[in-house]
Amino acid sequence: MHQIISLGLILATAFLFNAAAAAHMASIGMWGFAVGRLFFAPIIVFYFVHTLVYFVVRLIRGKDRVRSYTRSRLNYVGAVVAILGVLGAAAGPA
């Protein structure tokens, strides 16, 4: 359940903040970049960070002290990092 909530928050944030930029990209024919910015990039960042954090914590605390991959609250750590990435992509170059 924690992973579904995290993914929902990430995708909602990505669609909310990047919809205008993705619509502009799609209008000039850059469909791949638009889909990547809205969907694939946040999901890849989330799973990369969550996997890294999960296995490091599991290595430190032990297998018995950490819930399963999809049910651990470590999903929220990956979600926060992915949302920060979405916000950074929405802000664009400074």
Side-chain angles (χ1 to χ4, degrees):
M1 191 66 175
H2 296 291
Q3 195 165 40
I4 293 171
I5 293 169
S6 297
L7 288 173
L9 286 172
I10 292 167
L11 291 177
T13 306
F15 282 109
L16 181 67
F17 287 107
N18 291 328
H24 176 69
M25 287 182 203
S27 70
I28 60 175
M30 298 171 53
W31 286 93
F33 289 107
V35 172
R37 190 169 191 167
L38 286 178
F39 185 71
F40 290 117
I43 298 296
I44 289 171
V45 169
F46 167 73
Y47 277 117
F48 177 76
V49 171
H50 174 58
T51 302
L52 184 68
V53 168
Y54 178 78
F55 284 113
V56 167
V57 169
R58 186 175 167 183
L59 181 68
I60 292 171
R61 293 188 74 190
K63 185 178 180 180
D64 299 336
R65 306 257 342 244
V66 180
R67 285 184 146 185
S68 70
Y69 184 81
T70 58
R71 297 184 65 203
S72 73
R73 291 189 180 179
L74 296 172
N75 282 296
Y76 298 127
V77 174
V80 167
V81 172
I83 288 173
L84 289 175
V86 166
L87 293 175

